[in-house]
Amino acid sequence: MRASVIDGKAVAAEVKAEVAARVRAFVEAHGRAPGLEVVLVGDDPASHVYVASKEKQASAVGIRGGVHRLAADTSERALLEVVAGLNDRDDVDGILVQLPLPRHLDAAAVIDVLDPAKDVDGLTAISTGLLWSERSGLRPCTPWGCMRLLDRTGIPLEGARAVVVGRSALVGKPIAAMLLARHATVTVAHSRTRDLEGLVREADVVVAAVGRPEMIRGSWIADGAVVIDVGINRRPDGSLVGDVEFAAAAERASWITPVPGGVGPMTIAMLLSNTVDAAERRVRSR
Ligand code: NDP
């Protein structure tokens, strides 16, 4: 294998150590820990596992908070009231509504009522506008974690040709904005893109956020390119695989993230980092 593997677990551990130190300083200065509240609606098993992990990792770095578990048939009005209640609580710095929501609930309506100052998932229209206008704000956790991994490689992004495959509001679009802000030349590909292979072949940086196992073939990767694989796909045998054909891509890339152990661990680490950011901003803005 030619590529160096970007160790997301190690970088996430570094981020969490930084967060723990900032939490200690915050407690010393303000007499309370930063607070993160998670709202979880319904019984989606993956969401329950994910939220339990957030809760455990938050408490490990000293962030205080809890999980509001609501029944699957919760009305939109009841959910909006829970979020509004958390908006009003002064000890709450970050609010995260776990997605996806049950079908009868409109995620956009819920995100719209969230106080942008507490938007630690970086998904409100205000956070999105701040990102695209390159002003400081809370950034979506997964792409923000990808940027941290890219920085870890030390490769210059300025002038680099970056291809982002996927245009979701959660990953593809925000990472495109982040790469653009770092002066990369960014192409965003999606399901209607013609000649994806040709685009990927030209890229110095490839970010795959599609959700299709190994759809980016290793032979498409340019010599020396950096590959960030956001995809998490479960094989029939239960193992996880990314959107990139890892072994073949690693023969050509200079740096590559594995799945699991690449982007995955960064998401919660950046959520915790955003929570401390939000807490510090809120006390500064008083
Ligand atoms: P979405 O399903 O919201 O978006 C997928 C994107 O891929 C869409 O923009 C879609 O295009 C595009 N796409 C689908 N098929 C093709 C194709 N054949 N060629 C090119 N583009 C295609 O997914 P997310 O962005 O939410 O997630 C992407 C992946 O990342 C998933 O595997 C998910 O599990 C993983 N993920 C991992 C996280 C982590 O590591 N913590 C966090 C978030 C996501 P179109 O818009 O045209 O439909």
Side-chain angles (χ1 to χ4, degrees):
M1 185 171 80
R2 174 191 162 181
S4 302
V5 173
I6 308 173
D7 184 349
K9 272 193 205 159
V11 180
E14 276 170 28
V15 171
K16 285 189 276 184
E18 282 166 28
V19 170
R22 288 170 65 200
V23 168
R24 285 193 294 274
F26 187 92
V27 172
E28 212 153 279
H30 307 290
R32 68 167 183 91
L36 170 66
E37 299 288 326
V38 178
V39 181
L40 173 58
V41 189
D43 316 308
D44 179 56
S47 293
H48 276 262
V49 170
Y50 199 42
V51 165
S53 182
K54 285 174 182 171
E55 210 178 359
K56 190 169 151 207
Q57 295 188 47
S59 125
V61 297
I63 289 174
R64 187 194 40 71
V67 180
H68 303 257
R69 291 186 173 81
L70 308 180
D73 62 355
T74 299
S75 69
E76 189 164 300
R77 190 167 168 185
L79 174 57
L80 295 182
E81 274 170 16
V82 170
V83 174
L86 295 172
N87 281 346
D88 289 342
R89 268 177 54 187
D90 195 41
D91 63 328
V92 174
D93 300 292
I95 305 169
L96 184 145
V97 180
Q98 183 66 39
L99 302 176
L101 292 171
R103 278 231 198 105
H104 68 285
L105 297 170
D106 176 9
V110 179
I111 290 169
D112 281 350
V113 296
L114 219 147
D115 178 353
K118 301 186 178 188
D119 174 24
V120 284
D121 240 356
L123 295 179
T124 58
I126 296 282
S127 299
T128 305
L130 292 171
L131 167 61
W132 283 97
S133 53
E134 298 182 28
R135 290 162 60 195
S136 80
L138 295 163
R139 305 299 195 223
C141 304
T142 301
W144 205 214
C146 292
M147 295 306 290
R148 183 91 182 210
L149 295 179
L150 278 170
D151 283 337
R152 206 49 193 315
T153 67
I155 62 132
L157 291 173
E158 189 170 332
R161 283 166 301 186
V163 170
V164 177
V165 191
R167 56 173 164 180
S168 70
L170 202 62
V171 188
K173 279 181 193 151
I175 197 150
M178 290 170 192
L179 288 164
L180 203 52
R182 296 284 298 276
H183 312 297
T185 302
V186 183
T187 304
V188 182
H190 47 77
S191 65
R192 320 287 165 87
T193 295
R194 288 192 206 113
D195 190 20
L196 178 63
E197 173 180 347
L199 288 175
V200 171
R201 281 187 183 279
E202 295 290 310
D204 304 308
V205 176
V206 179
V207 180
V210 182
R212 287 174 172 244
E214 298 186 325
M215 74 158 280
I216 311 282
R217 310 310 295 170
S219 59
W220 300 0
I221 302 299
D223 260 353
V226 177
V227 178
I228 303 289
D229 190 352
V230 185
I232 302 178
N233 309 288
R234 202 166 280 283
R235 286 201 186 100
D237 68 0
S239 62
L240 296 180
V241 63
D243 288 344
V244 179
E245 189 192 12
F246 180 84
E251 292 301 329
R252 304 171 69 93
S254 57
W255 293 89
I256 189 166
T257 59
V259 176
V263 175
M266 294 303 292
T267 300
I268 295 182
M270 300 317 286
L271 168 70
L272 304 177
S273 174
N274 276 353
T275 302
V276 187
D277 283 349
E280 289 172 349
R281 281 165 203 272
R282 288 183 66 243
V283 295
R284 267 202 311 271
S285 70
R286 289 211 175 108

